[in-house]
Amino acid sequence: EEKPTATLGRPGPRAWPGQPYPLGAPWDGAGVNFALFSEHASGVELCLFDANDPDREVARVPVKERTDQVWHVYVPEVGPGQRYGYRIHGPYEPARGHRFNPAKLLLDPYAKAIDGTTRWSDALFGYQVGHPDADLSRDDRDSAGSIPKRVVIDPAFAWGEDRPLRIPWNETIISEVHVKGFTARHPDVPQERRGTYAGLTCPVVLDYLRSLGITAVELLPVHHFVTDKHLVERGLTNYWGYNSIGFFAPDVRYAASGGCGGPVTEFKGMVKLLHAAGIEVILDVVYNHTGEGNHLGPTVCLRGIDNASYYRLVADNPRYYMDYTGCGNTLNMTHPRALQLVTDSLRYWALEMHVDGFRFDLASALARELHEVDRLGAFFDI
């Protein structure tokens, strides 16, 4: 029986049980299946936002179905361009490793596009900033106005005859490229395309790369990333991008095309034209940690979805994180769902975005099973 969903004071969208796989929010032409893993949550709410005002929450859909620790719901008549996020219920007990807080809107780790960037405020933190008990306190302010929204996309793209180039290693010459820096400083790139994926497809850029004799560009991180609060307060930015928070989404700041899903289409177009020029695309990927930092960091994604599953915590004091990365946290590659997150991301970029390979930032952190680096570990094996 179909029943109305609980919303923000108005009739909400219809909701069906949906499926636990695939994770994320794929559109099938008639609606969207939303699926999110959380082992320790007690409840999940899907939040939908206005197309013209991304900070205005228009409906809240309770996600009641749970299969193998995946919460799922199908919402018909929702499609590309829909902005959304999650609120996750569960215990806020940092001393036990749990940091659930439904006041904090959370990013879907499997979303393919992100609309906007983080606007820093104290509401982004799950605890009361300045409280004498620090992160042991709980902050109940709504963070929706400070966090970018995930966006449902239409994955269709005319790839034509594009195929992996598979240039032999002994013929491979790689040039490391920062999408923004390289295209912003090239004098012949049109102003409106400087600093963007589209800038890398300009004929003058392709000719220049070919004149160097290179066969591949290794793009410095293009996964959506967070610029740390302390940098923003000093008027600085995280230029290099080694602070990922979206392992499936090309960063919107490098896109010339606005609108929902525009960065995805633009990135695909860049790959297609680079391939046509005989140049492979390799991504510098950062899976060893996320931009949520240490126990005093913000709650924007994995920390609020299932902190104890996604992060390596100190065994005898799970309030704190194992910091093998020097960035405050380490992704928990001993947990099958964290391992799946990374491998699903790699598979997506290879099969759907047509990239040719990867350079793993701090790969040793991904190979830690107990404490030491294990060359026969699950990550390398998979």
Side-chain angles (χ1 to χ4, degrees):
E1 180 184 0
E2 193 173 290
K3 298 180 180 179
T5 56
T7 63
L8 302 181
R10 61 179 63 85
R14 295 177 295 163
W16 300 342
Q19 301 293 330
Y21 186 86
L23 294 168
W27 175 61
D28 63 7
V32 177
N33 188 82
F34 296 90
L36 180 80
F37 161 76
S38 182
E39 180 179 352
H40 298 101
S42 61
V44 174
E45 293 177 297
L46 168 67
C47 303
L48 304 179
F49 290 82
D50 192 292
N52 299 314
D53 182 0
D55 290 335
R56 189 170 78 89
E57 188 176 341
V58 296
R60 201 173 288 185
V61 182
V63 183
K64 300 178 180 179
E65 301 294 329
R66 190 183 189 203
T67 305
D68 296 332
Q69 301 173 344
V70 174
W71 302 75
H72 51 92
V73 65
Y74 182 89
V75 184
E77 301 175 11
V78 166
Q82 176 65 59
R83 295 174 174 88
Y84 71 99
Y86 287 102
R87 298 183 188 275
I88 313 295
H89 297 260
Y92 186 83
E93 299 175 353
R96 294 179 55 215
H98 300 309
R99 296 176 179 269
F100 296 103
N101 187 336
K104 310 306 169 184
L105 188 75
L106 303 174
L107 301 171
D108 177 3
Y110 274 78
K112 307 305 189 296
I114 298 176
D115 180 31
T117 57
T118 302
R119 288 167 286 182
W120 283 103
S121 73
D122 287 351
L124 283 172
F125 296 83
Y127 63 94
Q128 299 174 41
V129 175
H131 193 281
D133 291 331
D135 62 310
L136 296 179
S137 63
R138 187 177 120 156
D139 184 281
D140 293 323
R141 285 174 290 184
D142 190 344
S143 66
S146 299
I147 197 166
K149 311 306 182 289
R150 292 319 209 204
V151 183
V152 176
I153 68 163
D154 181 351
F157 184 78
W159 283 108
E161 298 299 316
D162 185 77
R163 296 291 185 276
L165 299 180
R166 303 200 184 284
I167 297 171
W169 279 115
N170 65 319
E171 299 175 13
T172 296
I173 302 175
I174 301 172
S175 177
E176 186 179 76
V177 172
H178 188 290
V179 171
K180 183 174 182 179
F182 181 87
T183 58
R185 295 185 60 83
H186 196 296
D188 297 323
V189 172
Q191 188 64 41
E192 66 276 10
R193 295 170 70 176
R194 291 188 178 185
T196 70
Y197 307 116
L200 279 176
T201 66
C202 292
V204 292
V205 170
L206 297 176
D207 290 343
Y208 172 70
L209 292 172
R210 281 189 297 237
S211 74
L212 296 176
I214 68 155
T215 65
V217 289
E218 179 190 311
L219 303 182
L220 273 73
V222 296
H223 289 172
H224 192 92
F225 66 90
V226 175
T227 295
D228 295 298
K229 184 173 184 284
H230 69 91
L231 293 177
V232 174
E233 291 174 342
R234 295 167 59 192
L236 302 173
T237 188
N238 186 323
Y239 178 74
W240 300 109
Y242 288 89
N243 212 26
S244 303
I245 201 65
F247 294 147
F248 292 77
D251 200 290
V252 66
R253 284 164 286 198
Y254 299 154
S257 52
C260 299
V264 179
T265 301
E266 186 176 327
F267 186 94
K268 290 178 178 178
M270 175 198 71
V271 173
K272 182 178 179 179
L273 287 173
L274 283 167
H275 281 177
I279 299 172
E280 293 183 307
V281 179
I282 299 170
L283 298 188
D284 189 342
V285 289
V286 187
Y287 294 117
N288 55 77
H289 74 284
T290 76
E292 290 187 296
N294 64 13
H295 64 290
L296 297 178
T299 296
V300 295
C301 190
L302 302 181
R303 171 172 284 140
I305 294 172
D306 198 330
N307 185 66
S309 295
Y310 277 118
Y311 290 118
R312 291 289 297 268
L313 306 179
V314 176
D316 57 354
N317 194 355
R319 175 185 177 185
Y320 301 105
Y321 296 83
M322 297 296 295
D323 187 9
Y324 293 122
T325 66
C327 299
N329 64 61
T330 304
L331 211 62
N332 183 14
M333 300 306 288
T334 66
H335 194 288
R337 290 294 187 176
L339 191 61
Q340 180 188 358
L341 174 65
V342 173
T343 52
D344 282 350
S345 171
L346 293 170
R347 186 179 299 108
Y348 173 76
W349 287 97
L351 298 183
E352 300 296 327
M353 305 294 267
H354 284 210
V355 305
D356 300 278
F358 305 93
R359 177 264 174 188
F360 293 93
D361 179 64
L362 210 58
S364 59
L366 300 172
R368 291 183 183 271
E369 300 234 322
L370 293 176
H371 295 288
E372 302 301 323
V373 175
D374 183 357
R375 294 187 180 184
L376 299 177
F379 172 72
F380 288 142
D381 188 44
I382 289 176

